[in-house]
Amino acid sequence: MSLLMAIDTATEACSAALWYQGDILARYQVAPRGHTDLILPMVQELLDEAGISLNQLDGLAFGRGPGSFTGVRITLGVAQGLAFGADLPLLGVSNLQALAQGAHRETGCNTVLSAIDARMGEIYAGGFSLQDGVMTQVQEEAVLPPEALEKPVAELWQQAAGSGFVTYPELKAHAGALCEAVPFPQAGDMLPQALQDLAAGRGISAAEARPVYLRDKVTWQKLPGR
């Protein structure tokens, strides 16, 4: 059975999770300016709890973005450092996908529109649908103004998730069913996709790992049914 760690600092939340003997061990804390102090101790706590060392892991997943520029860079830098030291493959997972996975975990919903506050009057958004236990992207991720979501979310998605719906009041009213239990991505919700990727041999080296910011994307494909 695979041993897989996941870490994330791309939003206001800092989290780490370990897939161990079929269970998820996790640490999570909302601390907008404390990520660099929290993430490595979280990793060590989880390793100690499981009684294993870093080099016993089969891989390391990380939140690849989108999210805050600084937060995504912290995640990537820590992941690369750990992977280099222990010779681990890296698996990048979308933060928007992690939100959708968390909403599915909390509510059992099968379709989710995720939105993260992107600052500057914009959101990062993407749509996901459950496939083989993993919330899989079905709507391209993009950065866009909140008003670009023209239809009530409930007309197209069972659930909405993420800080984008909380930051902008017009979006919260527009959201329909909002999963308030997961305002930020959690590392544990990156594990289903990461485990699937690890089994398929899609891990990459630390040198190959790249962040995803979305700021260079300026278009938003129309949602199904528009």
Side-chain angles (χ1 to χ4, degrees), residues 8 13 15 17 28 98-99 105-106 181-191:
D8 183 55
S15 61
Y28 174 85
L99 277 172
R105 170 177 52 79
E106 287 286 339
V182 284
F184 306 115
Q186 299 183 26
D189 293 318
M190 297 178 178
L191 289 171

Side-chain angles (χ1 to χ4, degrees), residues 6-8 61-63 93-95 98 185-195:
I7 63 171
D8 183 55
F62 67 97
V93 179
S94 162
N95 287 86
Q186 299 183 26
D189 293 318
M190 297 178 178
L191 289 171
Q193 180 66 62
L195 285 164

Side-chain angles (χ1 to χ4, degrees), residues 79-118:
Q80 287 176 316
L82 293 173
F84 271 126
D87 192 25
L88 299 174
L90 287 178
L91 304 122
V93 179
S94 162
N95 287 86
L96 290 168
Q97 182 183 15
L99 277 172
Q101 194 75 40
H104 168 70
R105 170 177 52 79
E106 287 286 339
T107 70
C109 61
N110 292 332
T111 61
V112 177
L113 182 65
S114 299
I116 293 173
D117 180 15

Side-chain angles (χ1 to χ4, degrees), residues 50-135:
I52 62 174
S53 61
L54 187 67
N55 58 16
Q56 288 179 266
L57 295 176
D58 297 301
L60 178 65
F62 67 97
R64 59 156 177 78
S68 77
F69 180 86
T70 301
V72 173
R73 294 301 302 180
I74 291 171
T75 307
L76 180 61
V78 171
Q80 287 176 316
L82 293 173
F84 271 126
D87 192 25
L88 299 174
L90 287 178
L91 304 122
V93 179
S94 162
N95 287 86
L96 290 168
Q97 182 183 15
L99 277 172
Q101 194 75 40
H104 168 70
R105 170 177 52 79
E106 287 286 339
T107 70
C109 61
N110 292 332
T111 61
V112 177
L113 182 65
S114 299
I116 293 173
D117 180 15
R119 313 297 183 187
M120 298 188 289
E122 293 180 315
I123 57 171
Y124 301 118
F128 300 85
S129 178
L130 189 69
Q131 299 178 21
D132 298 324
V134 177
M135 294 300 286

